[in-house]
Amino acid sequence: MSTIRALEFYSGIGGLHHALSNGHPDAQVLRAYDWDPTSCQVYSANFPGSIASRKDISALTAVELADHNANLWLMSPACQPYTVLNPQAKGASDPRAQSFLHIVQNVLPELARNDQHPTYILVENVAGFERSTTRQESLRVLRAAGYNTLELLLTPLQYGVPNSRLRYYLLARKHPLEFPVEDKVWRHIPGQPTDTDVEVTPLKHYLDSEVDERSRVPDKILNKWGRLFDIVLPSSARTCCFTRGYTHMVERTGSILQETEELDTTTVFNEFMQAQSEGKADAIEILYPLHLPLLHPFRAPAHLRVRRPLLCLASISLYKDQVPSNRK
């Protein structure tokens, strides 16, 4: 296999770059495109150099991309148009979907006509994308350009990581390279174990030894919304999917940690709610022994660390003072 030369679209803080480097240490990421300035700032700290490019992806041209002579595209477009958590999700009609459609409908076909299209493409998105017209259009264009495809819905639990973030993956490679499996959306990588066959590493192996006090859930939030949180223990083997609403929304945005394992969460909350209903002003103090921080102070286990630690979930160690909490 020739040296991988990759372009990264919607690069964020560099998760796909990190994954590529783990699997292929000799791979080169030539350019990483993202419009968000904070993402580009953190990306540049994780991967020093002039790789990160703050650019509107809908303005990219076939000529510009052809100059890089990349044989791999890594693409993680906006998920908001497709997420099942958004009942108003608009799919392909959402303005945030237009830059990806521009690449698929305009740029890729032009490159294919000149035999300048990449050998491999990876598209990553939220579960729900597999039911979208954007997915149908992507498959149509890819197959017309001579690609064979494989679609997957995968969760970190299948790889021993305690998080249930279900994601859609579309893999494409140019003919004559093939995927010798049934054409369907797979729930595991063909030939590999399902999540029921894998031992999940407990959450405690990912936690910092000391909790940043700024990550404690404020009393006013616990008072009003505490019963709605998804609460996990250090020994837990799962956490809920984290979304950008984490830290300023409660339901379905991610789990919070209960540090005190020996206390029963339901019993303590029932006692708290009873005290609330009786109008006791100090009812909130009943929850204090649970020790409930947000899951911000995450670290990667030693075998996953890199020279400049990539940022795990919501924790931004490199810019912890420069980046606002709601951008972490």
Side-chain angles (χ1 to χ4, degrees), residues 211-242:
V211 174
D212 187 335
E213 288 303 314
R214 292 175 297 179
S215 70
R216 299 289 180 188
V217 180
D219 285 0
K220 64 179 181 179
I221 301 297
L222 284 176
N223 256 317
K224 189 172 183 178
W225 304 109
R227 67 190 184 281
L228 299 179
F229 277 115
D230 178 72
I231 298 175
V232 296
L233 302 173
S235 60
S236 295
R238 63 108 201 142
T239 53
C240 286
C241 175
F242 290 84

Side-chain angles (χ1 to χ4, degrees), residues 61-216:
T61 66
V63 172
E64 181 177 355
L65 297 185
D67 286 343
H68 292 293
N69 193 30
N71 55 15
L72 169 65
W73 284 4
L74 303 172
M75 311 186 75
S76 186
C79 65
Q80 293 91 338
Y82 313 106
T83 176
V84 295
L85 298 180
N86 179 9
Q88 277 85 45
K90 298 178 180 179
S93 63
D94 191 308
R96 291 167 291 190
Q98 299 314 302
S99 62
F100 178 68
L101 288 170
H102 163 69
I103 296 294
V104 169
Q105 295 174 325
N106 302 323
V107 176
L108 185 59
E110 182 176 342
L111 289 171
R113 285 192 292 271
N114 298 317
D115 197 26
Q116 295 174 311
H117 50 319
T119 305
Y120 307 97
I121 296 176
L122 164 66
V123 178
E124 178 270 343
N125 211 276
V126 69
F129 187 92
E130 76 280 6
R131 296 190 294 271
S132 69
T133 58
T134 303
R135 173 250 185 178
Q136 295 172 3
E137 177 67 0
S138 299
L139 290 175
R140 183 192 69 79
V141 172
L142 286 167
R143 289 165 182 170
Y147 287 96
N148 293 307
T149 60
L150 174 66
E151 298 177 276
L152 305 142
L153 281 171
L154 303 174
T155 167
L157 293 171
Q158 292 167 264
Y159 303 93
V161 178
N163 185 253
S164 57
R165 189 185 196 212
L166 186 65
R167 303 297 285 185
Y168 169 86
Y169 298 90
L170 169 61
L171 309 180
R173 50 189 184 185
K174 286 197 297 189
H175 183 80
L177 299 173
E178 296 181 341
F179 295 101
V181 295
E182 183 181 352
D183 184 15
K184 66 176 185 178
V185 179
W186 289 77
R187 284 283 183 158
H188 65 279
I189 296 177
Q192 293 193 5
T194 64
D195 56 338
T196 57
D197 301 319
V198 176
E199 183 177 353
V200 179
T201 303
L203 182 60
K204 61 186 176 183
H205 292 281
Y206 293 81
L207 296 173
D208 282 334
S209 56
E210 296 181 4
V211 174
D212 187 335
E213 288 303 314
R214 292 175 297 179
S215 70
R216 299 289 180 188

Side-chain angles (χ1 to χ4, degrees), residues 8 20-22 25 27 37 41 57 68 79 98 102 104-105 116 147 169 187 218 263 266 308-310 314 318 328:
E8 194 173 4
L20 178 63
S21 298
N22 272 355
Q41 180 187 28
I57 290 173
H68 292 293
C79 65
Q98 299 314 302
H102 163 69
V104 169
Q105 295 174 325
Q116 295 174 311
Y147 287 96
Y169 298 90
R187 284 283 183 158
L263 294 180
T266 301
R308 286 177 175 270
L310 243 165
L318 291 170
K328 292 181 180 181

